[in-house]
Amino acid sequence: MWDTLIRRAHLLTFDTGSPYGSIRRGALAVQGGRIAWVGPDDELPANSAREEIDAGGALVTPGLIDCHTHLVHAGQRAREFERRLAGSTYEEIARAGGGIRATVAATRAADEEALLAASLPRLRALAAEGVTTVEVKSGYGLNLETELRMLRVARRMGHLAGVMVRTSFLGAHAVPEEFAGRADAYLDFLIAEVLLAAVREGLIDAVDAYCEPIAFSPAQVTRLFGAARKLGLPVKLHADQRSDQGGAALVASFGGLSADHLEYASPEGISALARSGTAAVLLPGAFLFLQETHLPPIGGLRRAGVPLAVATDCNPGTSPLCSILGAVALACTLFRLTPAEALAGVTRNAAAALGLADRGRLEAGLRADLALWAVEEPAELAFRLGPNPLLRRFVAGRSDHAPSD
Ligand SMILES: [Zn+2]
């Protein structure tokens, strides 16, 4: 006997056979937190279920995955937004002590409960839009105590919001004031003390860095990634966002999980990603709010067969976007992804960007992370900015939304 059986559903399986892997009149059975059977309704094997749900033709997708966020932070930077609109550049604001450093000061000043209280509503907002897995980065502490606090808060809020949280260590996000002009010394400290302490506490799933002239050089990132490799940790990179630093090729050379942003990635970088199987994570929220005009090389990435993921990059400065469906819509309108590509970018390819093989598609044996939607066509999920059409979400087979009617 199955735990749950969903019938009369329009399933988007995101298997690789067709753009959505659509099954118009589909059924899906859940047993023990996993998908036990998926296919056309009229091929359903004879079996009973404790709970049967008539989806009434509603769309069912894998639970959505936001594979790049900075959800844990304190404070807000709306005044910088005003300054940028008045003509200041991101680099000018960063050099004047704003940008990441402003959030570092606010985050250091917040204790664990305050940081949790500030961050949890953001995760809950994503969960309310069908998100079941979220990546959360550190990187607003830049000291031992606060980096660990951020990672602990990330894990705690995952339990509270019913979302699987994967944590990335982003100590190499910016050089903190106390190490101003001494980026290499900061990196030594980061590797020898903070990274090791976080690993000892079991707080890290991957190591990330920000490779830009205002942050860390390719040589410095290479050193950090070498330390990650020795610890057996996968890597990912904020790569080629504001300038071509060879970031895509660098993270590919470490067999990285993902290269993120990529507005200025070169053809060589794209080839390297394709060879290493590294996913490209596209972040249209940052593109929008920075009023960037240089598009990431979508056509080149597509032609090379690089898996395209899409994420919110939710952060307090450059991407105040806390809506995964918003990110999908922006990926289509700004980056010209097809709706099928953008939705694969928050399911199948987002799972790849996190190195998670057990989710992101509707397939027997995978985790029963599901989202049911009150829409008629798949493209509707990529078309609007609000309102939220989620009917119900399942996390490892357990529903946390009552049916809406
Ligand atoms: Zn980011």
Side-chain angles (χ1 to χ4, degrees):
M1 188 189 266
W2 291 319
D3 295 331
T4 307
L5 173 62
I6 303 171
R7 303 196 67 170
R8 289 216 306 140
H10 181 179
L11 304 174
L12 304 189
T13 66
F14 292 101
D15 64 21
T16 48
S18 62
Y20 295 105
S22 167
I23 303 174
R24 276 271 166 190
R25 285 183 65 88
L28 184 147
V30 176
Q31 174 62 43
R34 302 257 155 189
I35 298 171
W37 192 88
V38 58
D41 220 277
D42 55 13
E43 292 175 20
L44 185 68
N47 199 358
S48 55
R50 261 177 281 278
E51 182 195 16
E52 190 167 320
I53 297 166
D54 181 350
L59 206 70
V60 176
T61 66
L64 305 187
I65 300 171
D66 193 350
C67 67
H68 181 138
T69 84
H70 306 255
L71 286 183
V72 175
H73 59 263
Q76 52 77 32
R77 285 161 36 198
R79 284 179 64 187
E80 279 176 26
F81 175 60
E82 279 184 310
R83 286 186 55 193
R84 279 211 312 275
L85 290 174
S88 298
T89 68
Y90 180 70
E91 282 77 4
E92 282 164 6
I93 290 168
R95 289 207 174 90
I100 290 170
R101 282 184 182 179
T103 300
V104 169
T107 303
R108 284 180 177 181
D111 67 15
E112 188 165 324
E113 296 312 311
L115 200 51
L116 182 72
S119 306
L120 185 57
R122 294 187 273 268
L123 185 61
R124 289 209 160 119
L126 291 174
E129 277 192 343
V131 169
T132 51
T133 299
V134 171
E135 185 259 15
V136 180
K137 301 174 194 300
S138 70
Y140 294 124
L142 313 183
N143 63 21
L144 176 66
E145 189 191 333
T146 319
E147 285 292 304
L148 296 192
R149 190 191 310 141
M150 286 186 73
L151 294 164
R152 286 186 208 114
V153 165
R155 292 280 171 90
R156 275 182 68 193
M157 69 178 188
H159 294 296
L160 292 170
V163 175
M164 154 82 88
V165 166
R166 301 291 285 181
T167 46
S168 299
F169 177 69
L170 183 58
H173 195 192
V175 179
E177 262 166 48
E178 59 271 26
F179 281 93
R182 297 186 297 132
D184 279 304
Y186 174 62
L187 211 61
D188 290 341
F189 158 74
L190 212 56
I191 292 168
E193 298 193 33
V194 191
L195 180 60
L196 282 185
V199 167
R200 245 181 263 122
E201 243 189 83
L203 289 172
I204 304 182
D205 297 310
V207 171
D208 194 353
Y210 187 31
C211 187
E212 282 293 333
I214 57 166
F216 297 91
S217 70
Q220 288 163 339
V221 171
T222 300
R223 197 147 66 82
L224 175 70
F225 282 3
R229 177 180 274 169
K230 279 195 191 127
L231 293 164
L233 290 167
V235 298
K236 47 180 52 239
L237 187 63
H238 288 69
D240 307 326
Q241 179 189 8
R242 314 280 292 156
S243 55
D244 178 15
Q245 297 291 310
L250 196 168
V251 70
S253 75
F254 281 85
L257 292 173
S258 68
D260 301 37
H261 289 290
L262 297 175
E263 273 79 349
Y264 290 83
S266 65
E268 294 72 29
I270 293 169
S271 305
L273 294 177
R275 280 195 303 275
S276 64
T278 301
V281 178
L282 304 170
L283 303 167
F287 183 92
L288 174 71
F289 284 100
L290 285 167
Q291 297 182 290
E292 177 63 67
T293 53
H294 196 288
L295 284 163
I298 304 294
L301 291 164
R302 200 185 263 140
R303 279 190 297 278
V306 176
L308 301 178
V310 172
T312 62
D313 193 15
C314 178
N315 75 58
T318 57
S319 186
L321 170 66
C322 204
S323 162
I324 192 75
L325 294 181
V328 166
L330 293 177
C332 295
T333 51
L334 298 176
F335 293 167
R336 306 288 167 86
L337 262 60
T338 66
E341 284 176 325
L343 289 167
V346 294
T347 52
R348 183 182 70 226
N349 293 340
L354 295 178
L356 298 172
D358 65 346
R359 67 196 72 187
R361 288 167 290 133
L362 302 181
E363 185 186 305
L366 301 193
R367 266 172 70 98
D369 291 346
L370 311 170
L372 276 65
W373 306 94
V375 298
E376 291 173 22
E377 291 297 328
E380 277 189 78
L381 287 180
F383 174 57
R384 292 193 189 92
L385 290 176
N388 175 10
L390 186 79
L391 290 172
R392 193 164 170 169
R393 190 183 73 130
F394 287 82
V395 179
R398 294 183 57 171
S399 172
D400 60 358
H401 276 63
S404 64
D405 51 2

